[in-house]
Amino acid sequence: MAGLAASFGSGAMTNSIGEVEKADTIFVTGSNTTEAHPVIASKMKKAVKNGTNLIVADPRNIGLTEAADIAVTQKPGTDIALLNGLMHVIIKEELYAEEYVEERTENFADLKEAVKEYTPEKVEEITGVAAEDVIEMARTYASVDRAAIYYAMGITQHKSGTANVFAIANLAMLTGNVGKEGTGVNPLRGQNNVQGACDLGGLPNVYPGYQSVEEPELKEKFENAWGVDELSAEAGLTVVEMINKAADGELRGLYVMGENPVLSDPDQQHVEEALEAVEFLVVQDIFLTETAEFADVVLPAACFAEKDGTFTNSERRVQFVNKAVDAPGEAMTDWQIFCELAKRMGYEMDYSSAAEIMAEIAEVTPIYGGISYDRLEDEELQWPCTDQDDPGTKFLHQGEFAHGKGIFHPVEHIAPVEAADDEYSYIMMTGRMLYHFHGGSMTRRSAAVDQHEPDAYVEINVEDAKELGIEDGDRVKVASRRGEVETYARIGSIVKPGEVFMPFHYAESPANRLTNAELDPIAKIPEYKVSAVKVEKV
Amino acid sequence: MEQSIYRSHILICGGTGCVSSGCKEVRSSLEDELARHDLEDEIKVLETGCHGFCEKGPLIIVYPESVFYCELKPENMEKLVEEHILKGKIVEEFLYQEPVTNESVRSYKDIDFYKKQERNALANCGHIDPEEIEEYIATGGYQAIGKALTEMTPQEVIDEVKDSGLRGRGGGGFPAGLKWQFASEAEGDKKYVICNADEGDPGAFMDRSLLEGDPHRIIEGMVIAAYAIGADEGYVYVRAEYPLAIKRLRIAIEEAEEYGLLGDNLFGTDFNFDLHIKEGAGAFVCGEETALMASIEGKRGMPRPRPPFPAQKGLWGKPSNINNVETYANVPDVIQDGAETYKQVGTEGSTGTKVFALTGKINNTGLAEVPMGITMREIIYDIGGGINDGKEFKAVQIGGPSGGCLPEDKLDLTIDYDSLLEVGAMMGSGGLVVMDEDTCMVDVSRFFLDFTQSESCGKCTPCRVGTKQMLDILERITTGEGQEGDIELLEELAENIKSTSLCGLGQTAPNPVLSTLRYFRDEYEAHIYEQNCPAGACEELLGAYVIDGEACVGCTACTDACPVDAISGEAKEEHQIDEDACIACGACVEKCPVDAITQ
Amino acid sequence: MDTITVTIDGQQVEVDQQATLLDAANKLDIEIPTLCYHPDLTLHGSCRICVVEDAESGNLLASCATPVTDGMKIKTASDKVITARKMNLELLLSDHPNDCMTCEADGACELQELVYEYGVTEPSFGLMEEQKFEVKNENPFIEFDQNKCILCGKCVRVDNEVQCSGAIDFTERGFQSKVGVPFDQDLGADHSSCVFCGQCVEMCPTGALTYKPAKGLGREYELESVQTTCPYCGVGCQIELKVKDNKIVKVGSVYQEDSPNPIGETCVKGRFAYDFVDHPERLTKPLIKKDGEFEEASWDEALDYVADKLTTITEEDGGEAVAALTSARCTNEENYLLQKFMRGVVGTNSIDHCARL
């Protein structure tokens, strides 16, 4: 997000999901698409059947590699080296979009200089990807008319996450693959309304529509719109900062709506300590989650099937959520709860429907300016959609970037914080699996999927398993410097020797008890993808 | 040329028919004998493709005398070498004997089986070594390509084929030139020519023999077609059950590549053509062109709706021309001799010749190439030598499982595409199965339905379920369970399957039933209403056997023959058959010396 | 594009050159029954129910597969057409179990509907006497009864062309033909590449493929359908919640052009992970922790308590002493209100959510 915003001026998926099938080459990296975004993976496979080239770069032999023309397994945390290597080859072989670079970007000279030393041979040394594969990937990506990059948390959940995104953006701009149908830089959102939560001000530094809280004019605009005297002019805290401050006793109140940081945040023990320490914790959710257990007040909320509203998907498309059943017992929708609460604190929030709230959103949020419930009844709208006549935007940056010219941000390979050593000799990655979702509060309580995948597991390579004397289905203990968990072993060749993988959906074997809270300095994303661990049979 | 060195050439037929009757053993024995007499440098032994007269294999022709020996065994070789090769004396006992006159015939050309034939497509089969490209070239082979590529435009080639009246030899008889025209006009930077060598009709082996005996002719025909439509790549789809054909074709392709007759810049032009072999798994439906192409693409062999026709969207979606082996085999003559010459043979609507595979209750089974317009009677009696064991002719099934059964009064029908359709049969790929008085026509249609049912790809409703229902009814009838209304139901089903099936397999599947209903309806009725099989073939309909006590001499031959011990009686005394135990196999009848057992 | 005029049942219609007879009939609102046709899948042409008659030649043509030609005259309801459709229905019925009474698809079965409409009361070929195949239903998601399959191939096509998982395909020949799975195992078994997206079930015109969790919970015609957006990943698939008696019974596909999933695509989560909605552990009342134990409270009590507490903290230490996590799974409107509440009422910008996680 932060990386994309700096490069292009906007941090969302540049192109649309429907354009997957229009690309000549698709480059997937850091996304286990078949498990985390299965519908998009199907579109990719369909595109491959119709002649699209598919490049997959992921530390694991993920499902999509079967359909790939080239699939490589770089070492965890070496994405920048790989991406710089591709750019090295592209520049050396003059496969880049000279005219585009000239007209639409800035800072090319620095980029050229920075990637100069990333020869395929050096890249092979750092990443473990064969030099000839680096060359072939570069050619396959750069020699077509339309090449699209898709990535997910495998790119961002690193200490170097923002730098990784810079590298991706550099690659796309270098080849002219931004601002054109069937191309782009496309981060796949893991949750159905992450995009909407970001769009509507769920971030400490911006009001809805990415309007900076530090910009006096904007502050004033919102003060007027909301009828309040003085809004804070300083950016607030990010999730991990909140947890740290809470643990230090500097944060007294925490209000959590529909989140489960105990399972989803890194270094679980630390999170638990923080929640214990915070003076007043309100949790508004549909279940008594692991986080809610720590709360002082728990408010029962309605779930997606019990309310009206909108979600904004990965491709910036605003879509309806419609009420199908009544909420159980006295559970209320989240928005009604806030109206009630605000009233009690002396601020009148009076909306009779979600549609009314959207009307207010449109007034104060330029990128949502043209969105209304009336239009959504029969139109498909993707932001930016600034007024009633704006049909919305299928792909961004056509002709011009959001802030004029695209800026190359050259980046260097940075080694992950933790490396395998004698004691913690395996590198653990975390991620998703097809049958469960996030903290598991929904899927673990859905009979069919949970019956199909009832048990947590750790993926171990066959060779390592042999060495450790572990067989498929054995109970094993996985430990890091931060904690340990017990789980089942799943032996195979999805992970390479020396690497293990754990899904993070299982409360009984929480992978995040092991992960590192080390943050990316810009985006503040924890390094979930690289933790040094040891594994032993129980 | 090499040939001039040798004093004599011995051609031994190496077609699949002769291989199975032992020509390999005959050949090695012959070579041993020649070696024993130090004749290897004087006498050249050549293995050829099928000579056609499979009934009498293994076959040998000794040149330059052109003496034709047949039904040879390895142990005959000693005598043959000593008498014929060393002493120059023809060995009478190995010659062919005409069945009626018992006359020995020296040259195959004088044998009735060959006399009425017009061997054009098969001209080289049995006369050249199919694994030597030089031999094909020596007979004038590959001149037609040269002519087409250097003297004719693609359109001129197509026009010549159109003028010749050549029609597809594989099934429906669609004009080949017209098909080429469509493929030529279709837009596309990539086009294919495909040869359908997925010969699937029971008893048919024309294509196999052509591929085994003269593979270069097929290659030449395909290259010409490729030039005409603008294709640069081709496939021969040949069933894996034809290993010899595949082997020879593979050798032929390699040779042609070496000689620059396949590959890039043929005859110094900018025309390129590569040819591949694709082995099929032997599903009958893969003879259907869209299923065949699906199979080449690695998919399940299932037909798809047409249009689009292969000429518009064929293999991998590209315009493609698909003909069968025999069609391509005719092409070099059309180009080399010209359409006018080609048209001299055959009838106006059906020019040229057609190869038939003669099988069934006929004396001379084998492969015969005849001019279109010949009568069925000439094929069966003059070439085929009539019905064997002196039985009466009853019907001839023409066109395989998609064809029809014709009765005796159609024997004088002249054979061409259109006349056959009129009488409810079709040319098909050229299978001719002759049936005698002992054949039950209901059972014959049951047999064919059983075949098409199990070979149906299962895609469309009428073919998958309809043919199964027809088969069930036919099985009912042949086992004595036929009911009133069955014939009408068969007719309704047949009509529905014909008119609503997806592909040619289904649309023609009811033909054997419809044609037998048309010409032998009384037999169906006898089965249903009288519980009687007039031909005496349907076992369940035959009553138990009884022994005429007066005639029985008590020889016990029947008791010994009975496989289920249903016959009892002391020696020299009258015997009885236990009706319940009797399975009506007829073994006793054959053994009885006094014809005392009847049904 | 050039257009062509054809006459169907006496009415003229102009259609484009690529159109089929079925397209032309649809344009005239003339209904032609189909079983294997689906506009989003490749043409299959196998059921032969959509046949119509070419008035000139008298030939029967599969309307889904036959392109229009200029001046064509078509009859869609002639005796010949009706007879052929009826016989093909009888043939299908002869190879299909006669258990509509207990079949999960009853009331939503296209075969049942057509058999009824065409009055196939005494099928000429009898009914299926014994089951040809064992029902496959060991997995928790999909029951596969090959006996009920009419081989329309829609499941095979959606699996291979849309989902691209290659889990099912035609096997065997002739009357034994079936939609097969590797080694004849259950869907999702060791050698199966099935990922339980359920699109095959959505496409199935009969009861051959049905949702196991929905078994017995409601006939299709009793269910109320509500279109909504999937609650899981960020693709935002459109789905249809099918509800009976305030309970979600199953999730259906939405086929809507220009949506993220125009051919009704979903994954196993969107399709099957819905029963958390009425899970017994759902929170139904506000809870207040007293002496380390949660106690149920009224809304007034709980909200007053929260309001008081927040007011006290902000009055003492300012808004900065409070922070909020918004949710990537709540609606836009709710996220907007929470940040408005925190910024405008509590007075802090410390609002974040797990987008980074």
Side-chain angles (χ1 to χ4, degrees), chain B residues 283 285 300-302 305 307 453-454 456-462 464-466 468-469 492-493 496 499-502, chain C residues 43-48 51 60 65 67 84 87-88 91-92 94-95 124-125 150-151 170-175 177:
Chain B
V285 72
R300 176 178 163 94
M302 256 184 165
Q453 160 55 36
S454 54
S456 160
C457 79
K459 186 174 183 180
C460 73
T461 310
R464 179 183 71 249
V465 196
K468 174 68 164 64
Q469 292 297 347
E492 281 172 39
L493 265 168
N496 182 62
S499 60
T500 69
S501 285
L502 170 62
Chain C
L43 187 60
H44 198 55
S46 72
C47 72
R48 317 313 275 181
V51 287
L60 292 176
M87 181 167 279
N88 283 334
L91 288 172
L92 287 174
S94 75
D95 188 26
S124 314
F125 314 109
I150 56 170
L151 280 100
F170 299 103
T171 60
E172 306 292 335
R173 293 206 168 266
F175 190 62
S177 299

Side-chain angles (χ1 to χ4, degrees), chain A residues 477-491:
Chain A
K477 189 172 85 182
V478 186
S480 75
R481 290 187 173 84
R482 291 156 293 278
E484 61 176 57
V485 296
E486 255 189 51
T487 187
Y488 291 98
R490 200 172 274 191
I491 314 297

Side-chain angles (χ1 to χ4, degrees), chain B residues 516-581:
Chain B
T516 50
L517 272 172
R518 179 166 166 186
Y519 298 117
F520 303 95
R521 196 180 184 97
D522 51 338
E523 282 197 41
Y524 282 82
E525 289 167 347
H527 281 74
I528 297 171
Y529 302 113
E530 297 159 29
Q531 303 285 301
N532 177 31
C533 172
C538 297
E539 279 174 12
E540 275 91 341
L541 289 181
L542 301 177
Y545 285 87
V546 285
I547 298 175
D548 178 357
E550 304 253 309
C552 178
V553 293
C555 69
T556 74
C558 57
T559 324
D560 297 341
C562 181
V564 292
D565 295 331
I567 306 178
S568 58
E570 297 297 314
K572 305 252 167 86
E573 286 183 19
E574 191 185 316
H575 282 53
Q576 287 91 27
I577 299 179
D578 176 354
E579 274 189 40
D580 294 334

